[in-house]
Structure formats: structure tokens, C-alpha cells
Amino acid sequence: MNSRHYGTGATRLTWGTRLLRVGCAFTYRAEVPTPAVFLVRPLWSADVRLSHEHLDVKPDVSMRHHLDLYGNRSTRVVLPPGLSTVHYSAWVDVPDKTEDVDDTVPETLPDGLPDDVLLYTLPSRYCVSDVLGDEAWSRFGAHPPGYGRVREICRHVHESLSFGYGTSTALSTAADVNAAGFGVCRDFAHLAISFCRALNIPARYVFGYLPDLDVPPDGAPMDFAAWMEVWLGDRWWTFDPRNNVPRKGRVVIGRGRDAADVAMVTTFGGPVLESMVVQAEEDLAPSWR
């Protein structure tokens, strides 16, 4: 295990790191040339280091990389008629520690929020905080403001929704999922985000790779994961209403108002998705070492 050091003097922090192998593969069948945008490459950060990234499309097509409105690393391609496979892989070095937790962090009143954070207090396509406002205030309005109130929102969402593939659709809003009581990880995030925004707490949608590091595997095929980040005090904090426990190894791919902003694939046409495979696991013996 590697060791990493940040800070100086009394504030110096030390933790080990873990090496992950992450990636995915999509196979599409298109009838005509079809423009598409793929969002599968992780974001760089102070805590996360990427190496040996590889993205290719078979058959060969040109790729255009760009940063979207939210700073996510998007790739544009045109899928040719017939079968196409888009494959991404990378090694990622992540801290061997869970995300930060601090029950003492306060909320920030709207007037004190940074200009670029204020956006995340507003309703969006799936996070209908205006529709869920009355319920949010009745359930959580009397709870002391701060980190603990957001944790209570996550606890409620975690316990009130049952996870199940196929229980929601691409049209399901947080209000729909709240009424049905079922959803997938993106729905858990959408509902918790909606409750936060209804209380004037900025919250944004996050998705990425989440390996089973130091937790029992759930037995389901690996998939992309969704969680949220909430602005408290003077920074963003990670919360995960789906799992509702701090986790190790989160690798962020995209951030936005909700899943409409950060779909892993956007196609401008009607290609058929024939298969999707996602990989996120610890690699103790990488081939390049």
C-alpha cells in the first residue's frame, strides 16, 4: 500500500492509498450514423490520481473530448451503422479512507452562499423540490439545521425507498419515486436532493464508480453508482442515501443538477443498447507494474 501526506505541521494528514481498476463497455446497434456523447471518464481531484486511461471505439471513429457546462469530461462520437463498442478503462489511486463526516458543520443561509452554489437550491428536471416542499418542511423543518439534518434526510430516504432495478423509468421524478416507494440509486439521490433544496440547502447530483472496498459485495452485477454532495459551512460534503454509510473508493465521473445533466450516454437517435458492463474493483497486481 502506498502512503500519502497532505498539509504541514500539526494539520498534516497521512493515509494509505488503494489502487482501483475502473472501466465500462457499451455495445450499441445503430441503423444510421448516430451522434452520441459519453460521460465515463473520471474527474481529477486532489485525492484521486488517474493513470493508464484508455478509451476506444470499435469500429474506429473520431472522438472529440471537451468539458461540459459543469466541468465534466465528455466525449463526442458518431456511432456508425451496425454494431459499435465503446470501451473505457483506467487505474485510479484513491485514499484508503471514507469520506469526511462532521456533525458540527452548520448550514449556510441563502444570502451567504457563493454565486455558483445558489443554482443547487432550485428545482430541476428530476429534483422537484417545489413539489416536495411541504413534505420536506413537515418532516425535517423542526430538526436542528446542519449536517445532522442532512443525515436525517438520508436516513429517511434510505428507509422509505426499496431498491429494485426496473422500478422506475427515465421519466420518474423524485415525487414519483417518493409516492411509489421504489427506485434505483439515482432515485434515492434525486429524492434526498429534492428534500434538501426544499429546505434551502444546496445539493447536487453525483455519479461515478463505487467499488466494494471493505464492505460485503451485494451480489448484483457492478453498475454505476449515484450519490449527492451537499453544501454545508464553506464546502461540499458527500452523502449517500442509497447505502447510507460512509464508503471508500468513490471515483466521481460527473456532477450536475440531476441525472439529466450527467447521463453516462446521450444519443441523438435511436440506437439499441445491446450490452453494458461496468468494472470497479481493487487491483492488487496491475499488469503495468
Side-chain angles (χ1 to χ4, degrees):
M1 182 179 295
N2 298 321
S3 178
R4 179 175 292 172
H5 305 274
Y6 289 107
T8 58
T11 62
R12 180 168 173 158
L13 300 174
T14 303
W15 57 77
T17 61
R18 309 277 282 272
L19 184 66
L20 308 180
R21 179 70 182 271
V22 302
C24 56
F26 298 85
T27 298
Y28 279 96
R29 182 180 296 276
E31 296 298 324
V32 297
T34 306
V37 180
F38 286 84
L39 188 60
V40 296
R41 297 182 297 153
L43 294 173
W44 292 80
S45 74
D47 288 347
V48 174
R49 295 186 302 174
L50 276 70
S51 62
H52 296 79
E53 280 194 288
H54 184 69
L55 176 64
D56 66 56
V57 182
K58 300 296 184 190
D60 244 358
V61 299
S62 63
M63 292 183 283
R64 289 179 287 166
H65 305 299
H66 74 287
L67 298 181
D68 69 12
L69 178 64
Y70 301 95
N72 304 312
R73 304 170 66 211
S74 297
T75 299
R76 298 177 64 177
V77 304
V78 176
L79 302 175
L83 280 178
S84 298
T85 298
V86 178
H87 178 262
Y88 174 78
S89 64
W91 278 272
V92 187
D93 194 42
V94 298
D96 186 19
K97 68 185 188 76
T98 64
E99 58 264 17
D100 295 337
V101 174
D102 188 344
D103 287 326
T104 68
V105 179
E107 293 175 19
T108 301
L109 295 176
D111 188 54
L113 294 172
D115 294 340
D116 60 345
V117 172
L118 198 60
L119 169 70
Y120 297 103
T121 63
L122 305 177
S124 59
R125 169 67 179 82
Y126 294 111
C127 298
V128 287
S129 50
D130 48 351
V131 177
L132 293 168
D134 288 345
E135 180 172 348
W137 281 101
S138 65
R139 286 189 182 278
F140 312 110
H143 198 285
Y147 189 100
R149 176 150 67 170
V150 178
R151 186 158 64 177
E152 176 62 18
I153 290 172
C154 291
R155 183 201 63 77
H156 169 75
V157 171
H158 178 77
E159 294 179 357
S160 65
L161 294 184
S162 296
F163 183 89
Y165 288 109
T167 56
S168 62
T169 73
L171 301 179
S172 298
T173 68
D176 297 327
V177 171
N178 189 47
F182 298 92
V184 293
C185 58
R186 82 171 204 161
D187 301 311
F188 282 70
H190 284 158
L191 182 55
I193 289 169
S194 299
F195 283 144
C196 286
R197 291 181 187 171
L199 299 171
N200 299 319
I201 306 171
R204 64 187 182 186
Y205 180 89
V206 187
F207 95 100
Y209 301 101
L210 181 58
D212 294 325
L213 284 186
D214 300 338
V215 297
D218 65 9
M222 180 60 67
D223 200 349
F224 294 104
W227 58 92
M228 68 176 185
E229 292 176 345
V230 177
W231 185 273
L232 296 168
D234 61 357
R235 52 163 281 197
W236 293 104
W237 297 78
T238 296
F239 291 86
D240 185 348
R242 163 68 176 98
N243 295 292
N244 204 36
V245 292
R247 292 282 294 266
K248 296 180 178 180
R250 296 186 192 275
V251 179
V252 174
I253 296 174
R255 296 182 173 98
R257 293 170 299 174
D258 58 32
D261 288 335
V262 287
M264 70 275 295
V265 184
T266 301
T267 60
F268 298 87
V272 176
L273 177 62
E274 300 217 337
S275 69
M276 182 185 79
V277 177
V278 180
Q279 179 185 25
E281 59 189 2
E282 187 168 19
D283 194 338
L284 300 176
S287 59
W288 48 269
R289 280 187 175 173

